[in-house]
mmCIF file of all heavy atoms in Angstrom:
data_model
loop_
_atom_site.group_PDB
_atom_site.id
_atom_site.type_symbol
_atom_site.label_atom_id
_atom_site.label_comp_id
_atom_site.label_asym_id
_atom_site.label_seq_id
_atom_site.Cartn_x
_atom_site.Cartn_y
_atom_site.Cartn_z
ATOM 1 N N LEU A 1 74.315 111.883 107.692
ATOM 2 C CA LEU A 1 75.755 112.070 107.902
ATOM 3 C C LEU A 1 76.035 113.076 109.017
ATOM 4 O O LEU A 1 77.043 112.953 109.714
ATOM 5 C CB LEU A 1 76.430 112.507 106.607
ATOM 6 C CG LEU A 1 76.437 111.500 105.462
ATOM 7 C CD1 LEU A 1 77.309 111.990 104.319
ATOM 8 C CD2 LEU A 1 76.901 110.126 105.926
ATOM 9 N N ARG A 2 75.174 114.043 109.200
ATOM 10 C CA ARG A 2 75.355 114.984 110.317
ATOM 11 C C ARG A 2 75.250 114.259 111.645
ATOM 12 O O ARG A 2 75.995 114.545 112.584
ATOM 13 C CB ARG A 2 74.313 116.106 110.253
ATOM 14 C CG ARG A 2 74.552 117.127 109.156
ATOM 15 C CD ARG A 2 73.790 118.410 109.408
ATOM 16 N NE ARG A 2 72.346 118.223 109.509
ATOM 17 C CZ ARG A 2 71.520 118.231 108.476
ATOM 18 N NH1 ARG A 2 71.997 118.404 107.240
ATOM 19 N NH2 ARG A 2 70.213 118.066 108.642
ATOM 20 N N LEU A 3 74.343 113.296 111.729
ATOM 21 C CA LEU A 3 74.225 112.491 112.953
ATOM 22 C C LEU A 3 75.414 111.547 113.092
ATOM 23 O O LEU A 3 75.908 111.305 114.195
ATOM 24 C CB LEU A 3 72.929 111.686 112.929
ATOM 25 C CG LEU A 3 71.648 112.459 113.225
ATOM 26 C CD1 LEU A 3 70.417 111.610 112.888
ATOM 27 C CD2 LEU A 3 71.600 112.889 114.693
ATOM 28 N N ALA A 4 75.885 111.032 111.980
ATOM 29 C CA ALA A 4 76.995 110.078 111.993
ATOM 30 C C ALA A 4 78.313 110.752 112.318
ATOM 31 O O ALA A 4 79.218 110.113 112.875
ATOM 32 C CB ALA A 4 77.101 109.375 110.636
ATOM 33 N N ILE A 5 78.436 112.042 111.964
ATOM 34 C CA ILE A 5 79.694 112.770 112.122
ATOM 35 C C ILE A 5 79.420 114.059 112.891
ATOM 36 O O ILE A 5 79.513 115.166 112.348
ATOM 37 C CB ILE A 5 80.321 113.081 110.739
ATOM 38 C CG1 ILE A 5 80.357 111.814 109.867
ATOM 39 C CG2 ILE A 5 81.725 113.655 110.897
ATOM 40 C CD1 ILE A 5 80.676 112.081 108.416
ATOM 41 N N PRO A 6 79.063 113.968 114.186
ATOM 42 C CA PRO A 6 78.784 115.182 114.960
ATOM 43 C C PRO A 6 80.022 116.046 115.153
ATOM 44 O O PRO A 6 79.930 117.262 115.282
ATOM 45 C CB PRO A 6 78.259 114.639 116.288
ATOM 46 C CG PRO A 6 78.822 113.250 116.392
ATOM 47 C CD PRO A 6 78.882 112.750 114.995
ATOM 48 N N THR A 7 81.182 115.412 115.192
ATOM 49 C CA THR A 7 82.472 116.097 115.192
ATOM 50 C C THR A 7 83.361 115.363 114.189
ATOM 51 O O THR A 7 83.216 114.155 113.994
ATOM 52 C CB THR A 7 83.128 116.093 116.589
ATOM 53 O OG1 THR A 7 83.237 114.747 117.063
ATOM 54 C CG2 THR A 7 82.300 116.910 117.584
ATOM 55 N N PRO A 8 84.310 116.050 113.536
ATOM 56 C CA PRO A 8 84.962 115.461 112.363
ATOM 57 C C PRO A 8 86.149 114.545 112.619
ATOM 58 O O PRO A 8 86.617 113.886 111.692
ATOM 59 C CB PRO A 8 85.422 116.703 111.589
ATOM 60 C CG PRO A 8 85.682 117.721 112.644
ATOM 61 C CD PRO A 8 84.641 117.478 113.709
ATOM 62 N N GLU A 9 86.668 114.472 113.854
ATOM 63 C CA GLU A 9 87.979 113.851 114.038
ATOM 64 C C GLU A 9 88.020 112.365 113.673
ATOM 65 O O GLU A 9 89.053 111.872 113.205
ATOM 66 C CB GLU A 9 88.481 114.063 115.478
ATOM 67 C CG GLU A 9 87.769 113.256 116.549
ATOM 68 C CD GLU A 9 86.419 113.836 116.965
ATOM 69 O OE1 GLU A 9 86.054 114.938 116.493
ATOM 70 O OE2 GLU A 9 85.715 113.182 117.758
ATOM 71 N N HIS A 10 86.926 111.637 113.849
ATOM 72 C CA HIS A 10 86.944 110.219 113.480
ATOM 73 C C HIS A 10 86.722 109.997 111.983
ATOM 74 O O HIS A 10 87.025 108.917 111.462
ATOM 75 C CB HIS A 10 85.899 109.435 114.284
ATOM 76 C CG HIS A 10 86.384 109.017 115.630
ATOM 77 N ND1 HIS A 10 86.475 109.886 116.686
ATOM 78 C CD2 HIS A 10 86.842 107.827 116.081
ATOM 79 C CE1 HIS A 10 86.965 109.260 117.738
ATOM 80 N NE2 HIS A 10 87.206 108.009 117.391
ATOM 81 N N PHE A 11 86.210 111.014 111.330
ATOM 82 C CA PHE A 11 85.931 110.943 109.893
ATOM 83 C C PHE A 11 87.134 111.354 109.050
ATOM 84 O O PHE A 11 87.397 110.772 107.995
ATOM 85 C CB PHE A 11 84.733 111.852 109.597
ATOM 86 C CG PHE A 11 84.362 111.956 108.159
ATOM 87 C CD1 PHE A 11 83.767 110.893 107.490
ATOM 88 C CD2 PHE A 11 84.585 113.121 107.451
ATOM 89 C CE1 PHE A 11 83.415 110.994 106.152
ATOM 90 C CE2 PHE A 11 84.242 113.231 106.121
ATOM 91 C CZ PHE A 11 83.650 112.165 105.471
ATOM 92 N N LEU A 12 87.898 112.330 109.525
ATOM 93 C CA LEU A 12 88.987 112.889 108.726
ATOM 94 C C LEU A 12 90.072 111.878 108.344
ATOM 95 O O LEU A 12 90.599 111.951 107.219
ATOM 96 C CB LEU A 12 89.608 114.081 109.456
ATOM 97 C CG LEU A 12 88.706 115.314 109.599
ATOM 98 C CD1 LEU A 12 89.378 116.365 110.474
ATOM 99 C CD2 LEU A 12 88.344 115.883 108.240
ATOM 100 N N PRO A 13 90.441 110.928 109.205
ATOM 101 C CA PRO A 13 91.464 109.958 108.776
ATOM 102 C C PRO A 13 91.072 109.175 107.524
ATOM 103 O O PRO A 13 91.946 108.753 106.747
ATOM 104 C CB PRO A 13 91.610 109.036 109.988
ATOM 105 C CG PRO A 13 91.275 109.926 111.150
ATOM 106 C CD PRO A 13 90.136 110.781 110.647
ATOM 107 N N LEU A 14 89.766 108.997 107.296
ATOM 108 C CA LEU A 14 89.309 108.352 106.067
ATOM 109 C C LEU A 14 89.749 109.157 104.846
ATOM 110 O O LEU A 14 90.204 108.584 103.839
ATOM 111 C CB LEU A 14 87.788 108.219 106.073
ATOM 112 C CG LEU A 14 87.149 107.757 104.758
ATOM 113 C CD1 LEU A 14 87.525 106.311 104.448
ATOM 114 C CD2 LEU A 14 85.625 107.918 104.822
ATOM 115 N N LEU A 15 89.661 110.478 104.937
ATOM 116 C CA LEU A 15 90.037 111.331 103.804
ATOM 117 C C LEU A 15 91.521 111.241 103.512
ATOM 118 O O LEU A 15 91.936 111.320 102.346
ATOM 119 C CB LEU A 15 89.639 112.785 104.087
ATOM 120 C CG LEU A 15 88.147 113.037 104.311
ATOM 121 C CD1 LEU A 15 87.892 114.523 104.503
ATOM 122 C CD2 LEU A 15 87.314 112.493 103.149
ATOM 123 N N TYR A 16 92.342 111.062 104.546
ATOM 124 C CA TYR A 16 93.781 110.895 104.330
ATOM 125 C C TYR A 16 94.064 109.631 103.540
ATOM 126 O O TYR A 16 94.940 109.606 102.661
ATOM 127 C CB TYR A 16 94.526 110.873 105.666
ATOM 128 C CG TYR A 16 94.802 112.250 106.206
ATOM 129 C CD1 TYR A 16 93.807 112.979 106.843
ATOM 130 C CD2 TYR A 16 96.056 112.848 106.075
ATOM 131 C CE1 TYR A 16 94.036 114.261 107.324
ATOM 132 C CE2 TYR A 16 96.312 114.123 106.552
ATOM 133 C CZ TYR A 16 95.288 114.829 107.179
ATOM 134 O OH TYR A 16 95.524 116.093 107.638
ATOM 135 N N SER A 17 93.349 108.571 103.832
ATOM 136 C CA SER A 17 93.562 107.316 103.104
ATOM 137 C C SER A 17 93.053 107.408 101.669
ATOM 138 O O SER A 17 93.732 106.991 100.723
ATOM 139 C CB SER A 17 92.875 106.166 103.841
ATOM 140 O OG SER A 17 93.408 106.008 105.141
ATOM 141 N N LEU A 18 91.859 107.966 101.494
ATOM 142 C CA LEU A 18 91.282 108.056 100.151
ATOM 143 C C LEU A 18 92.067 108.997 99.250
ATOM 144 O O LEU A 18 92.113 108.803 98.026
ATOM 145 C CB LEU A 18 89.830 108.517 100.239
ATOM 146 C CG LEU A 18 88.862 107.572 100.941
ATOM 147 C CD1 LEU A 18 87.460 108.187 100.978
ATOM 148 C CD2 LEU A 18 88.820 106.203 100.264
ATOM 149 N N ALA A 19 92.679 110.024 99.831
ATOM 150 C CA ALA A 19 93.420 110.997 99.034
ATOM 151 C C ALA A 19 94.582 110.360 98.279
ATOM 152 O O ALA A 19 95.028 110.877 97.247
ATOM 153 C CB ALA A 19 93.941 112.122 99.927
ATOM 154 N N ILE A 20 95.076 109.246 98.780
ATOM 155 C CA ILE A 20 96.261 108.609 98.199
ATOM 156 C C ILE A 20 95.880 107.510 97.205
ATOM 157 O O ILE A 20 96.728 106.838 96.629
ATOM 158 C CB ILE A 20 97.158 108.068 99.343
ATOM 159 C CG1 ILE A 20 97.388 109.176 100.370
ATOM 160 C CG2 ILE A 20 98.509 107.607 98.832
ATOM 161 C CD1 ILE A 20 98.020 108.690 101.644
ATOM 162 N N TYR A 21 94.587 107.347 96.987
ATOM 163 C CA TYR A 21 94.093 106.379 96.008
ATOM 164 C C TYR A 21 94.566 106.755 94.613
ATOM 165 O O TYR A 21 94.480 107.910 94.195
ATOM 166 C CB TYR A 21 92.566 106.342 96.076
ATOM 167 C CG TYR A 21 91.897 105.667 94.910
ATOM 168 C CD1 TYR A 21 91.900 104.280 94.805
ATOM 169 C CD2 TYR A 21 91.250 106.413 93.931
ATOM 170 C CE1 TYR A 21 91.284 103.650 93.739
ATOM 171 C CE2 TYR A 21 90.622 105.800 92.852
ATOM 172 C CZ TYR A 21 90.642 104.412 92.770
ATOM 173 O OH TYR A 21 90.029 103.794 91.708
ATOM 174 N N ASP A 22 95.056 105.771 93.867
ATOM 175 C CA ASP A 22 95.508 105.959 92.490
ATOM 176 C C ASP A 22 94.424 105.430 91.554
ATOM 177 O O ASP A 22 94.218 104.220 91.445
ATOM 178 C CB ASP A 22 96.827 105.207 92.268
ATOM 179 C CG ASP A 22 97.409 105.408 90.878
ATOM 180 O OD1 ASP A 22 96.680 105.898 89.988
ATOM 181 O OD2 ASP A 22 98.590 105.080 90.683
ATOM 182 N N SER A 23 93.719 106.345 90.889
ATOM 183 C CA SER A 23 92.584 105.949 90.052
ATOM 184 C C SER A 23 93.000 105.095 88.857
ATOM 185 O O SER A 23 92.169 104.384 88.277
ATOM 186 C CB SER A 23 91.843 107.195 89.557
ATOM 187 O OG SER A 23 92.694 108.008 88.770
ATOM 188 N N LYS A 24 94.276 105.131 88.473
ATOM 189 C CA LYS A 24 94.729 104.388 87.303
ATOM 190 C C LYS A 24 95.033 102.920 87.602
ATOM 191 O O LYS A 24 94.977 102.084 86.702
ATOM 192 C CB LYS A 24 95.975 105.054 86.717
ATOM 193 C CG LYS A 24 95.720 106.450 86.188
ATOM 194 C CD LYS A 24 97.003 107.064 85.643
ATOM 195 C CE LYS A 24 96.760 108.470 85.119
ATOM 196 N NZ LYS A 24 98.001 109.098 84.610
ATOM 197 N N SER A 25 95.337 102.630 88.861
ATOM 198 C CA SER A 25 95.795 101.251 89.127
ATOM 199 C C SER A 25 95.265 100.629 90.410
ATOM 200 O O SER A 25 95.374 99.412 90.585
ATOM 201 C CB SER A 25 97.330 101.224 89.175
ATOM 202 O OG SER A 25 97.811 102.090 90.197
ATOM 203 N N ASP A 26 94.683 101.409 91.309
ATOM 204 C CA ASP A 26 94.290 100.865 92.610
ATOM 205 C C ASP A 26 92.892 100.256 92.609
ATOM 206 O O ASP A 26 92.006 100.663 91.847
ATOM 207 C CB ASP A 26 94.319 101.963 93.683
ATOM 208 C CG ASP A 26 95.723 102.241 94.194
ATOM 209 O OD1 ASP A 26 96.603 101.383 94.022
ATOM 210 O OD2 ASP A 26 95.934 103.320 94.777
ATOM 211 N N HIS A 27 92.726 99.296 93.500
ATOM 212 C CA HIS A 27 91.431 98.679 93.770
ATOM 213 C C HIS A 27 91.049 98.994 95.212
ATOM 214 O O HIS A 27 91.910 99.013 96.097
ATOM 215 C CB HIS A 27 91.517 97.157 93.574
ATOM 216 C CG HIS A 27 90.289 96.425 93.997
ATOM 217 N ND1 HIS A 27 89.107 96.471 93.285
ATOM 218 C CD2 HIS A 27 90.052 95.631 95.083
ATOM 219 C CE1 HIS A 27 88.202 95.728 93.906
ATOM 220 N NE2 HIS A 27 88.741 95.214 94.985
ATOM 221 N N ILE A 28 89.768 99.266 95.443
ATOM 222 C CA ILE A 28 89.272 99.566 96.796
ATOM 223 C C ILE A 28 88.327 98.463 97.241
ATOM 224 O O ILE A 28 87.434 98.054 96.482
ATOM 225 C CB ILE A 28 88.528 100.920 96.852
ATOM 226 C CG1 ILE A 28 89.467 102.072 96.499
ATOM 227 C CG2 ILE A 28 87.926 101.152 98.224
ATOM 228 C CD1 ILE A 28 88.785 103.441 96.539
#
């Protein structure tokens, strides 16, 4: 993952999407 994410800017938008996941009703 250190090689995959040498700088965080392309990775961080993923966290914004996952943060809004609803564990009670959502499917991924």
Side-chain angles (χ1 to χ4, degrees):
L1 294 188
R2 287 198 301 273
L3 284 169
I5 311 168
T7 55
E9 72 281 355
H10 276 77
F11 177 72
L12 293 174
L14 171 68
L15 299 183
Y16 277 79
S17 299
L18 295 178
I20 309 169
Y21 165 75
D22 183 345
S23 61
K24 296 179 180 179
S25 59
D26 280 340
H27 173 72
I28 297 180

